[in-house]
Amino acid sequence: MTNSNSLFFRALNKEGLKTPPIWYMRQAGRYMPEYRAVRKKFNNFLDMCKNPDVCCELALQPINAFDLDAAILFSDILTIPDALGLGVNFVENEGPVFKNPINNSKDIDNLNIFNPDELKYVYQAVTNIKNSLSNNIPLIGFSGSPWTLAAYSIEGKSSKDFKKTLNFINENTNKSHIFLNALTDACFLYLREQVKAGADVIQIFDSWANILDENRFNEFSMQYINKLTYALKNDKVTSKTPIILFSRDPKCNNQTLVNNSGADCLSLYWNMQDFDLNIARNKVSLQGNLDPRILLEPKDKIKYQTHKILDKFKDYPGYIFNLGHGITPDINPDNIKYLTEVVREY
Ligand code: CP3
């Protein structure tokens, strides 16, 4: 059991704290030499994700290096499309590439029904990580949002504009909703197994929320996030597990995020600087908001920008320190160490 007095749980309970808990999106990754040393033993990134002992080692690397207040499962959001038979590969300098992307509505009819047992390697990693952490460090489990998983599955790769996906949902609107419902069920079953295996908190990554206009965001993304959080909050296993939603720069009214997502905490993208804290106060905790690019600057700039964020959130009941998006491979680990010190000394 994780100590509910941990800083991270207290912030998720909307408690005002002198020093916020700290963790970083993509805290385990290529920016760390320790990660690169393990990574080079595997050709295929997903093969590495399928090894629970290695995932455990990787999840602990940033905890050991920076003494953070929460760990995150080492895995990827694309495990679900992989389990659905879409053939996910990670190609160097290209990111994910799907062998069998969704090209037409028949491809949706022919999809496998998600079997949560196919991702046992993930739940085993959760248990291994949980058993290796001290009990004041909670473990975050995660999934992609239904929309973000659909976008990768249809596009078949990363893209700037996701044109194929946006055309597909226009031309096959009903089938897209069938697919999004299936992905919502899959995310629910997947997250439920992660919680059973030891995850203390859930984060949902809606990394491609930003490509939808407001109406389409509500129809194709928020509707399913709401269904997913509702299912989690009404299930015996997951009803007490706090949910964090990272929605990347959604083109919706911020009130919608606070009132309709069903999340306990909103993770703010770095460009959401004008998010009005008063609409969220005492309703949800907040996380993040610092521009990760700051970490490429000299130390005095890092300190200045970090103090600005900490000033903004200092009276907010339930703030979790994090970046507004993930750590990128070009960031120097020394600057992560420095950033963490700046927050704790503030
Ligand atoms: O500490 C951690 O956060 C590690 C666990 C983690 C990974 N991916 C490992 C990973 C988490 C939480 C993710 C989430 C994820 N994966 C997201 C949502 C977060 C976000 O950035 O918006 C998304 C969109 C993905 C999909 C994905 N995975 C892409 C597009 C890529 C390629 C781009 C890239 O950064 O290389 C990945 C690969 C990936 N996932 C790596 C890691 C450590 C790098 C793979 C490598 O070492 O070759």
Side-chain angles (χ1 to χ4, degrees):
M1 277 303 280
T2 298
N3 189 335
S4 57
N5 285 323
S6 67
L7 269 188
F8 192 51
F9 266 106
R10 288 169 64 193
L12 285 168
N13 280 325
K14 304 179 201 69
E15 197 180 314
L17 297 165
K18 270 214 167 113
T19 305
I22 307 170
W23 75 281
Y24 301 111
M25 287 193 272
R26 292 288 189 97
Q27 63 193 21
R30 283 164 297 184
Y31 79 101
M32 289 185 93
E34 303 93 304
Y35 172 87
R36 295 195 300 270
V38 175
R39 176 70 180 88
K40 72 173 184 223
K41 298 181 201 160
F42 295 84
N43 267 326
N44 190 333
F45 173 69
L46 267 188
D47 287 343
M48 187 169 78
C49 292
K50 289 174 186 176
N51 186 320
D53 291 330
V54 170
C55 291
C56 179
E57 181 184 349
L58 295 174
L60 294 176
Q61 284 178 348
I63 307 298
N64 296 333
F66 312 115
D67 188 25
L68 303 173
D69 296 297
I72 183 162
L73 161 68
F74 191 90
S75 190
D76 198 81
I77 63 166
L78 300 179
T79 51
I80 287 180
D82 188 55
L84 291 175
L86 301 181
V88 179
N89 262 300
F90 286 83
V91 178
E92 186 136 11
N93 302 321
E94 256 184 82
V97 177
F98 286 55
K99 202 167 148 222
N100 317 304
I102 303 290
N103 289 322
N104 51 54
S105 68
K106 278 225 171 68
D107 291 338
I108 290 176
D109 297 333
N110 294 337
L111 271 179
N112 299 342
I113 291 179
F114 177 70
N115 174 3
D117 288 347
E118 288 195 28
L119 297 179
K120 276 189 177 149
Y121 64 86
V122 176
Y123 322 136
Q124 188 60 51
V126 169
T127 300
N128 291 5
I129 299 164
K130 186 67 194 160
N131 288 341
S132 309
L133 286 169
S134 71
N135 72 358
N136 61 337
I137 308 292
L139 174 59
I140 304 163
F142 68 89
S143 78
S145 71
W147 163 249
T148 289
L149 296 181
Y152 276 115
S153 302
I154 296 166
E155 201 70 26
K157 57 183 167 55
S158 280
S159 159
K160 274 217 170 74
D161 50 19
F162 279 80
K163 252 198 193 132
K164 181 185 171 199
T165 304
L166 294 175
N167 282 335
F168 186 94
I169 63 170
N170 274 346
E171 283 161 19
N172 306 276
T173 302
N174 291 342
K175 270 283 146 67
S176 298
H177 283 297
I178 290 172
F179 187 34
L180 285 160
N181 267 309
L183 288 168
T184 304
D185 292 343
C187 290
F188 167 67
L189 295 172
Y190 183 50
L191 290 169
R192 189 171 184 271
E193 290 304 317
Q194 290 185 33
V195 171
K196 272 198 209 160
D200 303 296
V201 173
I202 287 166
Q203 178 150 325
I204 299 168
F205 287 96
D206 196 11
S207 302
W208 293 108
N210 60 318
I211 60 177
L212 297 168
D213 60 33
E214 180 161 13
N215 286 338
R216 290 207 270 187
F217 173 75
N218 285 321
E219 179 179 347
F220 292 96
S221 175
M222 183 50 82
Q223 181 183 181
Y224 295 97
I225 287 169
N226 178 276
K227 279 190 186 184
L228 176 57
T229 58
Y230 185 86
L232 291 165
K233 291 298 179 190
N234 286 284
D235 182 89
K236 263 195 195 140
V237 174
T238 51
S239 64
K240 294 203 166 65
T241 309
I243 303 171
I244 304 172
L245 171 64
F246 168 73
S247 189
R248 172 173 166 185
D249 192 21
K251 306 291 178 276
C252 69
N253 189 321
N254 288 329
Q255 201 88 52
T256 305
L257 288 176
V258 174
N259 294 336
N260 298 6
S261 72
D264 303 283
C265 175
L266 298 176
S267 195
L268 301 179
Y269 189 61
W270 56 265
N271 75 349
M272 294 165 77
Q273 294 298 335
D274 54 0
F275 184 96
D276 179 2
L277 302 190
N278 289 322
I279 66 165
R281 194 176 294 276
N282 300 319
K283 290 185 177 163
V284 289
S285 303
L286 293 174
Q287 170 176 282
N289 213 199
L290 181 69
D291 186 346
R293 304 282 89 202
I294 299 300
L295 292 161
L296 298 170
E297 303 281 342
K299 287 202 162 69
D300 57 329
K301 285 217 173 122
I302 297 177
K303 188 173 194 170
Y304 176 77
Q305 294 295 342
T306 304
H307 279 187
K308 255 175 65 179
I309 290 275
L310 292 170
D311 289 344
K312 175 158 97 180
F313 287 100
K314 79 175 172 332
D315 296 320
Y316 190 83
Y319 176 63
I320 296 161
F321 190 80
N322 204 320
L323 304 173
H325 204 184
I327 300 175
T328 46
D330 52 359
I331 288 171
N332 183 336
D334 283 344
N335 286 348
I336 298 292
K337 188 160 185 272
Y338 179 70
L339 174 64
T340 308
E341 281 164 14
V342 168
V343 177
R344 293 212 168 112
E345 282 165 10
Y346 173 75

